[in-house]
Amino acid sequence: MPYIPNTDKDRMEMLRTVGASSFDDLLTNIPESLRLRGDLDVPGPLSEPELMMHMERLAGLNKVPGEVTSFLGGGVYDHAVPAAVHHITGLPHFYTAYTPYQAEVSQGTLQAIYEFQSLIAELTGMEVANASLYDGATAVAEAALMALGIQRKRRKICVSESVNPAARAVLRTYLAAWGIELVEIPLEGGVTDVGAAAGAGADAAAVIVQQPNFFGLLEPVEAISAVAEETGALLVASVDPISLGVIRPPAEYGAAIVVGEGQSLGSPVAYGGPLLGFMATNAKHARRMPGRIIGTTTDTEGRRGYVMTLQTREQHIRREKATSNICTNQGLVALAATAYLSILGGTGLRELASHVLAKSHYAASELAGVPGVKLRFDGSFFREFVIELPVESSVVKEALTDIGIWPGIKCGCYYPEMDNCLLVSVTEKHSRRDIDSLVSGLAAVLATGEA
Amino acid sequence: MTGSEKTRETIVEPTIFELGRPGRCGFRLPELDVPALDPAEVLGAGNVRQAGPDIPDLSEPEAVRHFTRLAELNHHVDRGFYPLGSCTMKYNPKVNEDAAALPGFTRLHPEAEERCCQGSLSLMYHLSRHLCEISGMDAVTLEPPAGASGELTGMLIVRAYHTARGNPRSKVIVPDSAHGTNPASLTLAGYDAVEIVSDDEGRIDTEELRKVVDEETAAIMITNPNTLGVFETHIEEIIEIVHGVGGLVYMDGANLNALLGIVRPGDIGFDVMHFNLHKTFSAPHGGGGPGSGPVGVKAALAPYLPYPVISRDDARPEGRKYHFDYDRPESIGKVHGVYGNFLVAVKAYAYILSLGPAGLRRVAENALINANYLQAALREHYDLPHGDYCQHEFVLSASRQKEHGVKALDIAKRLLDFGVHAPTIYFPLIVKEALMIEPTETESRESLDHFAEVMKEIARESESDPAVVQGAPTATPVSRLDEARAAKDLDVTWKRRNA
């Protein structure tokens, strides 16, 4: 048994030491009638080479970039990850440790998370940040619960329809049990209809927007912020961290709670998990935040050190009165983000964001030149944009998939009226040739009537 | 003393904000092969960031050395014993990491067409089936990204079940030995927590239970074996009482390691449970995540599982057999943006296959043997409030040491000086000065003997030289940290003025 050291001889001697004559003696508390008779019906055991052969076969059944050119995004993005990032997260000192309950032997994890919090605060312009949440979608839901906790008399949440559909789905799940009213604000030209927001915002604990939104478009955040302020709702902004290399930080337009999906900071797409939720807010709301928070302190000799702090908010102390039920978060993914941002630096992040901007605009204008294809929306965008096709998007996507191109996400899955639309995502990894192959592939598919 | 020596004395490792120089970069972008744009022109001046972000510029070697130096400040399972009770800090097999790093898994986008994802879908489908077999449940979702998320999912399923029968009901019962996540999760699901006190042996008191159950009881949440490491001997009666009023029985699977191949919760009447793939199924804890908290249910609850559900349809053409089923009208909804922590599922799947049925059973057996062996070695030196054979963990009390002024916290800190991690302390709440010890099956006998010797030494020190224990740790990168100060002078993000 490779992972279980003690042999049968060890076991017999150990059992004798505790006064048992056989293993079954240890089960005296478990009534016989409750015990499983016979073996579990699971496969194995496999040796290491057998196991890896099986796993490689399964992995080989998936198609991934390398074999295909992918323009899929929608909240999970394929940015380049510097090799150093996974070498850092691959250090067993980090990945085989647990939640830093014993701070004196967990300073590495604690300081890295403190640095993560600091980086999130710096990116968003907010004053404080937590140690991470599960993903961007649950972070939106947690932000809504936090807003309800701050605005105790309000029992309504408003969310723009341009917020990632998965995040809205999770939000719906979280709010349903409490009987909280969830109002979705309709769109105008792909962005939040500010007039409708003004109507919906009354009595809401929070108005939730995403910047850039699900379609990659920049929201009229200034106007929405004014609406939120007028109605007394807190503005919750869900933001993309890479975009913050060029886009104005949410603190500047009055966001009270900022959340987002941080997978794009140094983690692979990994079939959508693990992802990385983050949350930032202002100092006055720090004690209402969910999740772990790391703070600095000193040891008995005056050295700087780090500990989990404000634990009286948390479930292991407050139990049913906690700000959230979250315990473990996404520590290692937060470490990846920290390493990633350290390696890029502010200069690198600004440059990266401007490349993404340039490439996505190049792709949009080239695609809009394909006969029958046009851009669905006029607004400014970052990384992603929606193209409208003369036919149903599923037909085009199938045909392009056959020639190794994944052109984007079918918008009709989430917005039924957008059946003939694709959401195309472009990162710095796409070369001009990749983009040109999408353009010519799409033109060919539409021209030959395969679609 | 020079300035730099003084700095070294007060800072163990500078933050990244104190490193690097403007203009350095550890990363090279490909040459921009499309026309460059002016962000202000494309996005509008009002939408563009005017300054910052003020993130330091580091070269790759500076960054790697910084994080490597930080890494060396951590205790971790690959280095040594980590008997953190209830956390199941077992060894994380290396081959699982290799499997989860295969590009076919890491580079797969969740929006890829189903015919391009058959490997991942097949893996998740089969992992779900294996978890059903191990637990005796009928259906499993892998969507919850952590144990607490699994609890919330389970409680929302309970709510949906009762709602469909006309009344969501209002309360959920939890024993006083429960993990804090239990009451927090049921509250999030819109229920009121009803706590019941345990009996003298640390088990659920069936008389107390009878007093509180009624038609408003939606469920009871039970950790079994419980957090004292004690199997709930009267579990059949408990389940009967709750089922008797139409309530459901939830199992917190935190301690499933003790039951593998021995007891299947579904067989003995549990209706819904969560698994912790990062505990029982060896996925590493990552310094606090990512975890994975799949939920298993009996058939009657399956319609309420989060969507999508992975289905297998052998009538479909090869290469499209496995698919996501979104048509789940009674589902509680989504609990994660995509489908949970897929790479953690890969590791758990690899673990199950590498062990097989006999190996899984041996995991539980050796976990129990190790815990009982260690309990026997320590019971004379520390108080043992519940003295039967334990399951996979046991709880000592430092009340004897407290008479000399040595608290559980002091013992925990002193252990760090000997190079082992401390047990979980002050939990469960029903034991005073609790030290909760879970050795797991991956420790050798010598490792347990060493820990026992250290614990005995600390017990001796507590009597002969309590100041040594109270002043611990001294052999760690920092000495005891002032937690009160951290909460009072709150500093959770680096500010330039700190510099």
Side-chain angles (χ1 to χ4, degrees), chain A residues 67-420:
Chain A
E67 302 165 83
V68 296
T69 307
S70 166
F71 294 89
L72 300 177
V76 179
Y77 301 109
D78 189 14
H79 286 281
V81 179
V85 173
H86 57 83
H87 282 273
I88 289 167
T89 56
L91 292 169
H93 314 67
F94 286 124
Y95 83 81
T96 80
Y98 194 29
T99 300
Y101 291 119
Q102 293 297 334
E104 294 83 0
V105 289
S106 310
Q107 286 297 295
T109 294
L110 286 160
Q111 184 174 329
I113 298 175
Y114 175 83
E115 291 176 1
F116 170 75
Q117 292 172 179
S118 305
L119 289 164
I120 293 298
E122 185 52 42
L123 277 174
T124 58
M126 305 301 281
E127 291 165 337
V128 295
N130 77 1
S132 76
L133 296 166
Y134 305 134
D135 69 346
T138 57
V140 165
E142 290 279 5
L145 297 180
M146 179 175 157
L148 289 161
I150 294 168
Q151 312 244 64
R152 291 203 158 269
K153 292 203 175 117
R154 298 185 172 215
R155 305 270 300 166
K156 181 165 103 180
I157 296 288
C158 287
V159 63
S160 168
E161 276 182 6
S162 67
V163 169
N164 191 313
R168 281 183 287 134
V170 173
L171 178 64
R172 214 170 293 133
T173 306
Y174 271 63
L175 295 184
W178 278 7
I180 303 295
E181 186 187 355
L182 181 63
V183 179
E184 300 212 338
I185 309 168
L187 308 181
E188 182 62 50
V191 298
T192 311
D193 180 339
V194 178
D203 305 330
V207 173
I208 307 174
V209 293
Q210 182 177 321
Q211 177 79 330
N213 71 21
F214 184 66
F215 306 119
L217 297 168
L218 295 193
E219 285 280 334
V221 283
E222 205 66 62
I224 299 166
S225 180
V227 165
E229 199 175 335
E230 244 165 64
T231 57
L234 298 177
L235 180 66
V236 174
S238 175
V239 298
D240 171 71
I242 300 273
S243 76
L244 292 174
V246 288
I247 292 177
R248 195 152 74 114
E252 290 183 14
Y253 50 84
I257 305 171
V258 178
V259 293
E261 174 54 61
Q263 168 273 331
S264 57
L265 302 173
S267 287
V269 293
Y271 208 37
L275 300 176
L276 172 65
F278 61 81
M279 178 182 274
T281 188
N282 290 322
K284 67 174 173 183
H285 297 316
R287 286 173 163 78
R288 302 285 338 166
M289 265 203 296
R292 309 282 189 209
I293 299 174
I294 309 307
T296 60
T297 187
T298 47
D299 73 358
T300 53
E301 287 159 53
R303 280 177 293 216
R304 186 202 295 168
Y306 303 83
V307 293
M308 295 197 286
T309 193
L310 300 185
Q311 293 192 62
T312 49
R313 300 163 299 116
E314 292 190 68
Q315 46 76 27
H316 59 287
I317 300 196
R318 290 280 280 176
R319 300 176 80 82
E320 68 271 16
K321 295 190 182 66
T323 54
S324 164
N325 71 332
I326 193 168
C327 174
T328 290
N329 46 59
Q330 299 287 103
L332 200 68
V333 197
L335 173 70
T338 309
Y340 176 83
L341 286 170
S342 305
I343 287 165
L344 258 71
T347 308
L349 184 68
R350 284 187 292 275
E351 202 183 328
L352 169 67
S354 65
H355 276 218
V356 171
L357 186 70
K359 289 189 168 178
S360 54
H361 278 75
Y362 172 77
S365 67
E366 292 294 307
L367 284 167
V370 174
V373 178
K374 59 175 189 169
L375 295 183
R376 171 78 174 211
F377 306 115
D378 296 330
S380 307
F381 64 88
F382 178 83
R383 194 201 280 118
E384 283 173 299
F385 55 90
V386 176
I387 55 171
E388 197 175 310
L389 306 166
V391 291
E392 263 195 32
S393 60
S394 55
V395 190
V396 171
K397 194 173 180 187
E398 279 283 321
L400 283 170
T401 301
D402 285 341
I403 56 168
I405 298 173
W406 295 348
I409 294 173
K410 294 176 285 193
C411 298
C413 298
Y414 305 108
Y415 300 87
E417 73 283 6
M418 293 173 72
D419 242 1
N420 57 343

